[in-house]
Amino acid sequence: MQCDYFDAGVCRSCTLMGVEYDAQLAGKVAHAESLLSPWADAMWLPPMTSRPEAFRNKAKMVVGGTVDAPTLGILDGDRRGVDLRGCGVLAEGLRAALPPIAAFITLARLEPYDVPARRGELKNVLLTESPDGRLMLRFVLRSTESLARIRKHLPALLDALPQLAVVSVNLLPEHKAVLEGEVEVPLTADESLAMRLDDVVLHLRPGSFFQTNTDVAADLYHQARAWVDELAPASVWDLYCGVGGFALHVAGPGRRVLGIETSAPAVESARLSAAEAGLADVAFEVGDATAVGGADAPDAVIVNPPRRGLGPELCATLEASSVGAVVYSSCNAVSLARDLAAMPSLRPRRIRVFDMFPQTEHYEVMVLLERVS
């Protein structure tokens, strides 16, 4: 893939830009194989590939420039805005929506936040696209000062972008390097974006986690479903379940599924999806993933932790439990290898790399572990 921004040196976020895709993929597989070499008897399945461009379903754009000439992209070394509206890894629907959003910033007089001066209101624009082309838009603001103007001019934006399903304002009053704050103000009747993946519909609320690459996320869910169906467990727990992607995909007749997640809004979304699908044996709870274990431990567990991995406590809990199998989906093979070493009774049987993030060194890897006596 060729990128004018990368060639000009204005954005180097895609560290593998210009490297042939096959070489990128081979490097990721080699990296995973090196880290997971202590489990040499595991079967490696062929890597799951991605489109090398236009694969990202979300745009996290820092707002810079001025009210009359806003930039949507990143900040340079001097903390000034660099416009990246033509970024080639963004889905086409996202790129097409960015110019009308920039025009709305001018119309509603949303002053971009000046990081060096600590002045201004609009910090970030967060945009997500569903598989059917619907959009969720979030304006990250310093305060509610411009909220009335956004509401006043919102009809014009909805006319310009009829695919907008969810619009909200997120409040981030602090001066710190994060994308969003804790307070969300809905501006549309719909507060969740429906993400349809074949026979499963996930409801994504503002701030909820969903994989960056929709096609590869579907591949992840399908692989987990295939492995779980093969094992045929009567009970499954999905830890770090988010909006319920894995839990809803592995649900089936006679199988009890429980998803556990710390985010209450994500759990609410997952419950809505389960109810719409009529899945009476699927439940979701707000709680700590380390609660698994004891006499009520399930037959199988799915884990999809953040980059830091499961950590010593949960690894020890799983190791000491009666759980017979674990499907581990990881975005960091370094922490994955550390966690696997901490659970010697759960032996990796199959491993597969999923290229969730083309043009970068990052990837997902999924491992099927089964308990050995």
Side-chain angles (χ1 to χ4, degrees), residues 99-149:
I101 292 171
F104 178 79
I105 291 171
T106 300
L107 176 65
R109 310 309 293 171
L110 306 180
E111 183 184 358
Y113 185 65
D114 185 321
V115 174
R118 301 193 178 190
R119 181 180 62 247
E121 283 296 315
L122 181 58
K123 295 184 174 183
N124 305 309
V125 163
L126 309 179
L127 189 64
T128 304
E129 184 180 40
S130 72
D132 63 358
R134 304 287 281 172
L135 297 173
M136 175 165 63
L137 171 62
R138 304 168 66 204
F139 295 102
V140 181
L141 298 174
R142 187 182 186 187
S143 74
T144 59
E145 181 272 333
S146 55
L147 190 54
R149 295 196 304 279

Side-chain angles (χ1 to χ4, degrees), residues 56-59 85 89-99 101 127-129 135-136:
R56 284 190 64 95
N57 57 27
K58 60 186 73 173
R85 284 182 238 176
V89 300
L90 296 179
E92 293 178 3
L94 297 178
R95 294 200 302 269
L98 292 175
I101 292 171
L127 189 64
T128 304
E129 184 180 40
L135 297 173
M136 175 165 63

Side-chain angles (χ1 to χ4, degrees), residues 7-82:
D7 293 343
V10 298
C11 178
R12 292 302 174 96
S13 299
C14 294
T15 55
L16 297 183
M17 186 63 67
V19 177
E20 290 294 329
Y21 181 72
D22 288 347
Q24 292 185 30
L25 189 61
K28 295 177 185 186
V29 171
H31 183 254
E33 289 177 340
S34 174
L35 289 169
L36 303 182
S37 60
W39 299 277
D41 57 341
M43 176 188 297
W44 283 80
L45 301 180
M48 192 65 72
T49 61
S50 168
R51 290 178 295 168
E53 58 188 31
F55 62 86
R56 284 190 64 95
N57 57 27
K58 60 186 73 173
K60 302 177 180 180
M61 313 300 276
V62 180
V63 182
T66 65
V67 171
D68 292 309
T71 61
L72 300 175
I74 59 174
L75 300 181
D76 63 16
D78 295 324
R79 315 304 291 168
R80 302 299 180 186
V82 176

Side-chain angles (χ1 to χ4, degrees), residues 55-367:
F55 62 86
R56 284 190 64 95
N57 57 27
K58 60 186 73 173
K60 302 177 180 180
M61 313 300 276
V62 180
V63 182
T66 65
V67 171
D68 292 309
T71 61
L72 300 175
I74 59 174
L75 300 181
D76 63 16
D78 295 324
R79 315 304 291 168
R80 302 299 180 186
V82 176
D83 197 89
L84 300 178
R85 284 182 238 176
C87 175
V89 300
L90 296 179
E92 293 178 3
L94 297 178
R95 294 200 302 269
L98 292 175
I101 292 171
F104 178 79
I105 291 171
T106 300
L107 176 65
R109 310 309 293 171
L110 306 180
E111 183 184 358
Y113 185 65
D114 185 321
V115 174
R118 301 193 178 190
R119 181 180 62 247
E121 283 296 315
L122 181 58
K123 295 184 174 183
N124 305 309
V125 163
L126 309 179
L127 189 64
T128 304
E129 184 180 40
S130 72
D132 63 358
R134 304 287 281 172
L135 297 173
M136 175 165 63
L137 171 62
R138 304 168 66 204
F139 295 102
V140 181
L141 298 174
R142 187 182 186 187
S143 74
T144 59
E145 181 272 333
S146 55
L147 190 54
R149 295 196 304 279
I150 291 176
R151 285 196 169 106
K152 175 184 176 180
H153 295 290
L154 185 57
L157 181 59
L158 295 175
D159 285 342
L161 290 174
Q163 62 270 46
L164 272 177
V166 180
V167 182
S168 65
V169 160
N170 178 272
L171 297 178
L172 178 61
E174 301 89 356
H175 178 83
K176 58 183 180 181
V178 296
L179 280 174
E180 59 191 81
E182 297 181 359
V183 177
E184 199 82 20
V185 181
L187 299 178
T188 52
D190 289 338
E191 296 184 32
S192 66
L193 185 68
M195 308 288 286
R196 179 176 292 278
L197 303 174
D198 296 330
D199 58 337
V200 174
V201 177
L202 305 177
H203 289 276
L204 189 62
R205 291 177 179 272
S208 296
F209 171 77
F210 186 80
Q211 299 283 6
T212 298
N213 188 323
T214 302
D215 291 342
V216 178
D219 292 333
L220 273 175
Y221 295 142
H222 293 159
Q223 183 65 82
R225 172 189 281 173
W227 284 348
V228 169
D229 284 348
E230 182 180 335
L231 294 167
S235 57
V236 179
W237 283 15
D238 178 9
L239 308 183
Y240 308 97
C241 72
V243 295
F246 285 108
L248 293 164
H249 275 83
V250 303
R255 180 178 298 157
R256 302 184 310 279
V257 180
L258 173 64
I260 300 176
E261 166 63 42
T262 58
S263 168
V267 167
E268 185 179 349
S269 296
R271 287 172 176 167
L272 174 60
S273 297
E276 287 184 348
L279 298 173
D281 290 333
V282 179
F284 295 94
E285 294 181 1
V286 178
D288 187 344
T290 59
V292 66
D296 296 328
D299 298 329
V301 167
I302 301 170
V303 290
N304 182 29
R307 288 190 61 79
R308 65 177 179 271
L310 301 179
E313 184 179 357
L314 183 51
C315 285
T317 301
L318 290 171
E319 171 68 13
S321 74
S322 60
V323 172
V326 173
V327 175
Y328 191 143
S329 181
S330 170
C331 61
N332 183 0
V334 174
S335 59
L336 169 64
R338 184 177 61 242
D339 289 344
L340 296 183
M343 300 184 292
S345 296
L346 289 160
R347 191 76 182 175
R349 297 303 188 197
R350 298 177 203 168
I351 307 173
R352 192 168 202 175
V353 167
F354 293 76
D355 192 16
M356 187 73 69
F357 313 100
Q359 313 306 335
T360 78
E361 295 178 349
H362 300 293
Y363 57 90
E364 292 270 339
V365 58
M366 182 178 282
V367 182

